[in-house]
Amino acid sequence: MTVVINHLHLSAPLTEQTVQACRDAVRLIREAGASAAKIVRVDDTHLVLILEFSSPQDADRVATEVGGPWMREHILPLLARGPERSVGEVIA
């Protein structure tokens, strides 16, 4: 299993429009092949995206087909700095 974790630091507080975009993204990512997808609000300007995939290839495919376009449209313009992305294999 492969997990992708993105820390997203917003330049302004989270809006209801962005919350809805996050809900839509989770649905699209799950439909595209993620075994789990969550976006956690740490506070009003810090979100954590947590995705699980059965393989690194699935993670790469979904990032290219769904995640990248969604991030460019809905999240990148709102960020105070670049996302902090980690990808790893679940070992336990």
Side-chain angles (χ1 to χ4, degrees), residues 5-24:
I5 299 173
N6 285 330
H7 287 267
L8 308 171
H9 298 275
L10 306 175
S11 60
L14 186 64
T15 66
E16 186 56 39
Q17 181 179 3
T18 303
V19 170
Q20 187 57 52
C22 289
R23 290 179 181 142
D24 294 342

Side-chain angles (χ1 to χ4, degrees), residues 20-71:
Q20 187 57 52
C22 289
R23 290 179 181 142
D24 294 342
V26 165
R27 179 183 49 78
L28 293 171
I29 291 167
R30 293 285 313 267
E31 289 173 358
S35 52
K38 298 175 175 98
I39 300 177
V40 177
R41 177 182 13 204
V42 176
D43 61 43
D44 283 340
T45 59
H46 181 191
L47 305 176
V48 180
L49 175 64
I50 305 167
L51 308 174
E52 295 179 9
F53 298 93
S54 60
S55 70
Q57 296 80 13
D58 285 344
D60 290 342
R61 180 183 53 76
V62 173
T64 301
E65 294 175 3
V66 178
W70 176 79
M71 288 282 288

